[in-house]
Each structure stands twice: as structure tokens, then as C-alpha cells.
Amino acid sequence: MKLKFDGFIIALIFMIILAYIFPDIAAYMDGQFLEIITSVGVALVFFFYGLKLSFNEIKHGMKNWKLHLSVQLFTFALFPLLVLLFRPFVHTETQEQFWLSFYFLAALPSTVTSSVVMVSIAKGNVPAAIFNASISGLIGVAVTPLLMHFFLEVEEVNVFAELYLGLLFEVILPVIFGLIIQPYWGKWAHKYSKALSNFDKGVVLLIVYGSFSESFMNDIFNTIGTTYLLSLFAGVIVLFFTVYLIILILVRYVLKFNREDRISALFCGSKKSLTHGSVFSKFLFANNPKMGLFILPLMIYHAFQIFVVTIIAQRLGKQKDEN
């Protein structure tokens, strides 16, 4: 069994190393230069996101409402509820920071590209995966900030009015504009979807670099120890397999989905989007020197989910071919 090499994960590690060695690049022009580039990049990412959405696909996908509702509940209810169970055990500032980074991960929408690819490899319901992954991103624009609102202090997000204003101009309006001109440029977007996906990753890398540069410049990582980092890795692994097993039990024994729908529910419902997470962190943790720590579990989860789900998807696809 061959596993595909994911160069994006290596690129993420490289950006963290670059941020450690050359953090001052992010401070050029008092940080305004990188801020402008990433803001324009984010707007383009979501413009292309809207451009690739199809009203016909969305309309057709609505028919399988039971599957779609389940996936969105797994994404925006199951994840946060599991993390909320540990809220009573938070007593110190470090524990609060640790817990909040996982809650941020839990509040994010599902990823689009990798979910669809993995469902396709496993011979699952690809149209349903496309619909759920796409809709999840749109729902996340409204739901993720709302879920975070309950646990973030006003000063941490530079007033929520500014948060939603930033989301309006850099996320919501570009998506709407992309949807409007989708009938005219939609084919172009699908034709160059791979190039646009690489552009998305490039913007994520810039945000990751900026986040970690600020954390390194403020010496944040020297305030945590090896135990903290090992706990992050352990927490990510436990969270992933807990969610995956709960979803597996629900879709097989409670909801009784067929094989194709089970795969779509499993893969879409257990994944989290690094693209959306990087963008949302830009607003939710604006001017917070600990931003790098808040997105670290998400980066670990992203790498882990790709590795594990790729193995599972290939095995499921092989089983389907043998049958």
C-alpha cells in the first residue's frame, strides 16, 4: 500500500522554522505589509471558493438531507461538546490556553479538498462529500465565531464588531461575489482547481508564518514545556479517534446509512479545515501574541487526519474492488 507524500505538511514545518529563524520579516512596516498581503489573499481564497460552488449541485445535494444534517451536527455539535466536557477541569491560565486551542479546533468547519479526495479513494458518496464539505465552510463563517464568542474576552478579539466586519469584507462578500459570477467563470475555476488549491495553501502558509513569527518574537514558546507539547499531540490523537469511533457507531448502528453514505459521513464529519482555521484565527486572535499556540493543535490535527484517513480510505477502496 502506497501513501502519497504530502508536501504541504513539510511546507508548514518549513514556515515554522522560517518564523523561528527570521521572525522580523513579519514585522516589516510594523507588520502592515504582511497583513495587507494576507488580507488580499484571504479575500481571493473565498472568492475562488464561491466561484467553485454550483447552485445546481447544492440544490441536488439537498435531497439527501439526513446525511447532510448528520455531518453538520458531527462537525459543529459533536466536536465542541466533546471538548466542552473538559471545561470544568480548567483552572490555570495555561490550562485555559490549552483548552481554548482545542475548542477552536472543534468549532471549525470540515475541510473541502481532502475530504472529497479521500471519499473518492474509499469509493464513497462523492457528490454528498462535495456538498457537505462546501456547505460546512459556509456555515462555519457564521457558526465558528459564534461558538468562540462564549469563551473569548472582548479584548482578545479586538472587539467582536471588528471581527465580523473583517469577516464581512474578507470572507462573506468575496464568497457572494464568487457565487454571483459562478455561471460565467465557474468552468474556469474548475479547470484550474489544482492551481487555485495551491494558491489557498500559499495563503495558509503566510498566515502560519505570521502567527508563529509573532509568537517567537514575544518568546511565547519558551513559556511552555515538553509536557505541554506532548499533551497537544496526545489530545489530538484522542480527539480524532474518539470522534471517528462515535461517528462510526452512529452511522452504522443508529442511522443505518449504506456503505457510501457511511464513508462520506465518517470522512467529512471527522475532519477540520486548516484553511478556514488559519483565516478565522487571523480575526479571532487578532493582536494576540499567543496565536501560534492557538493554531498548533489544528496543524497537528491536519497532518494526523491526512495520514490516518489516507490509510483507511485506501483500505476501504481496496475492499470495495475485491467485492
Side-chain angles (χ1 to χ4, degrees), residues 141-193:
V141 174
V143 174
T144 299
L146 182 63
L147 290 172
M148 295 299 296
H149 181 276
F150 298 107
F151 300 100
L152 284 177
E153 296 178 7
V154 171
E155 58 265 26
E156 284 185 286
V157 296
N158 196 23
V159 186
F160 267 89
E162 294 185 19
L163 162 67
Y164 286 107
L165 193 63
L167 287 173
L168 175 66
F169 284 103
E170 294 186 29
V171 178
I172 299 173
L173 291 180
V175 168
I176 293 174
F177 183 55
L179 282 168
I180 291 173
I181 66 172
Q182 190 275 338
Y184 310 101
W185 284 17
K187 290 183 179 179
W188 174 87
H190 284 286
K191 181 179 180 180
Y192 296 100
S193 60

Side-chain angles (χ1 to χ4, degrees), residues 62-75:
M62 289 292 287
K63 296 177 182 179
N64 199 349
W65 65 269
K66 187 178 179 180
L67 170 61
H68 306 324
L69 179 62
S70 299
V71 171
Q72 301 313 315
L73 286 175
F74 296 152
T75 303

Side-chain angles (χ1 to χ4, degrees), residues 293-312:
L293 288 176
F294 286 119
I295 67 172
L296 192 55
L298 173 60
M299 294 175 63
I300 298 171
Y301 192 93
H302 172 82
F304 187 76
Q305 72 184 8
I306 288 178
F307 177 74
V308 174
V309 176
T310 297
I311 296 174
I312 295 172

Side-chain angles (χ1 to χ4, degrees), residues 195-207:
L196 294 178
S197 176
N198 289 332
F199 178 81
D200 295 353
K201 292 176 181 178
V203 174
V204 171
L205 291 174
L206 280 178
I207 296 174

Side-chain angles (χ1 to χ4, degrees), residues 117-124 259 263 267 312-313 316-317 320:
V117 170
M118 297 305 175
V119 169
S120 177
I121 292 173
K123 306 294 193 303
R259 180 188 181 279
I263 291 172
F267 290 179
I312 295 172
L316 288 173
K320 179 68 173 179

Side-chain angles (χ1 to χ4, degrees), residues 227-279:
T227 302
Y228 187 99
L229 292 175
L230 290 176
S231 298
L232 281 181
F233 279 95
V236 163
I237 294 170
V238 170
L239 179 61
F240 175 84
F241 282 115
T242 300
V243 169
Y244 190 89
L245 288 174
I246 290 175
I247 294 176
L248 180 61
I249 292 170
L250 289 175
V251 298
R252 175 169 288 180
Y253 301 108
V254 179
L255 298 171
K256 297 181 179 179
F257 288 157
N258 60 40
R259 180 188 181 279
E260 288 74 20
D261 286 354
R262 283 203 306 269
I263 291 172
S264 296
L266 273 168
F267 290 179
C268 294
S270 63
K271 288 194 158 204
K272 290 295 179 178
S273 172
L274 179 58
T275 300
H276 286 80
S278 300
V279 171

